[in-house]
Amino acid sequence: DQQVKQNSPSLSVQEGRISILNCDYTNSMFDYFLWYKKYPAEGPTFLISISSIKDKNEDGRFTVFLNKSAKHLSLHIVPSQPGDSAVYFCAASGVNFGNEKLTFGTGTRLTIIP
Amino acid sequence: ETGVTQSPTHLIKTRGQQVTLRCSSQSGHNTVSWYQQALGQGPQFIFQYYREEENGRGNFPPRFSGLQFPNYSSELNVNALELDDSALYLCASSQQNTGELFFGEGSRLTVL
């Protein structure tokens, strides 16, 4: 039972344009959501997070939107840069799970085309 | 500030053998979590250690066990290896209840 789903295994975007990565979840007990970025031969690195009390969180070029009623979140990267090419994982957690016990999606491979 | 380090980076074992993977947590972190990432999948939570005790476990059988030491470093042990145990094993450290994990590069285990 996949509680966090990333339905697009891959995405290609032109440099300078907006990249939008999507994530859906099924467990309504999740109340904290994170995005991690992974380069080959490296561990995932934290990118941005959002608590369920918010619907938007912004950090530089990265913005995460949360739609609790739809159980959907998205990561926007604008403008996209070649260094953004990586695999992006959506993850969810919450107080009831212990905040470090993350449930990850299967990832979306983002390729930025120069 | 020293990040999370894992050893070995790669290893090959045969079915039925046992393996121990090691992790040194980031300076100042008291919690270590282990994740298994199979090919084409996201990381899956194995278990977490806090103050040398197991503090939560995912859906993994008892042949997956761990330890945390007083310096907060940790080991993951897997007994009676199966082919499906082939995966990247990721260690992550954090301060308890901060929600942000810092991952190591992982140990890639191949079971033949």
Side-chain angles (χ1 to χ4, degrees):
Chain A
D1 176 30
Q2 191 75 20
Q3 297 187 66
V4 177
K5 300 176 188 178
Q6 294 176 257
N7 291 319
S8 299
S10 63
L11 175 68
S12 293
V13 174
Q14 207 78 29
E15 181 180 357
R17 307 294 286 266
I18 184 170
S19 296
I20 300 176
L21 294 92
N22 292 304
C23 177
D24 297 293
Y25 62 96
T26 57
N27 193 329
S28 57
M29 299 299 286
F30 289 140
D31 59 13
Y32 187 59
F33 304 91
L34 309 91
W35 286 92
Y36 278 81
K37 173 179 176 178
K38 188 179 186 301
Y39 293 118
E42 294 184 14
T45 54
F46 170 75
L47 197 55
I48 192 169
S49 63
I50 188 166
S51 163
S52 60
I53 61 173
K54 293 184 168 185
D55 54 19
K56 176 182 173 181
N57 188 26
E58 200 170 344
D59 184 2
R61 297 186 297 114
F62 302 92
T63 303
V64 57
F65 295 92
L66 175 62
N67 182 334
K68 285 190 300 264
S69 60
K71 294 192 177 68
H72 177 84
L73 61 156
S74 61
L75 174 68
H76 293 210
I77 306 173
V78 56
S80 299
Q81 298 174 354
D84 297 329
S85 295
V87 177
Y88 289 78
F89 291 101
C90 170
S93 185
V95 170
N96 287 325
F97 302 92
N99 285 337
E100 298 86 19
K101 295 161 196 166
L102 303 182
T103 300
F104 283 85
T106 53
T108 296
R109 181 176 300 278
L110 175 65
T111 303
I112 305 302
I113 305 161
Chain B
E1 186 180 77
T2 307
V4 177
T5 57
Q6 293 185 243
S7 62
T9 52
H10 294 83
L11 69 167
I12 301 173
K13 292 283 189 178
T14 55
R15 228 171 9 168
Q17 285 189 309
Q18 178 265 344
V19 69
T20 298
L21 307 178
R22 295 178 176 84
C23 173
S24 293
S25 60
Q26 183 161 314
S27 174
H29 288 178
N30 57 16
T31 302
V32 173
S33 305
W34 286 92
Y35 286 78
Q36 180 197 65
Q37 186 181 7
L39 201 61
Q41 301 296 314
Q44 270 200 292
F45 176 70
I46 303 175
F47 43 55
Q48 180 188 90
Y49 278 83
Y50 171 63
R51 291 186 176 176
E52 303 176 53
E53 303 232 340
E54 189 179 287
N55 181 38
R57 187 178 185 94
N59 190 25
F60 281 82
R63 58 189 185 85
F64 285 77
S65 63
L67 283 173
Q68 187 181 31
F69 300 100
N71 66 354
Y72 304 127
S73 67
S74 178
E75 285 183 356
L76 164 65
N77 298 290
V78 187
N79 292 324
L81 284 167
E82 300 177 1
L83 297 180
D84 284 349
D85 296 333
S86 295
L88 180 68
Y89 288 85
L90 294 162
C91 170
S93 72
S94 60
Q95 276 288 7
Q96 183 71 351
N97 286 327
T98 59
E100 184 181 333
L101 300 181
F102 293 81
F103 284 89
E105 294 180 359
S107 294
R108 184 164 296 282
L109 171 66
T110 302
V111 182
L112 301 176

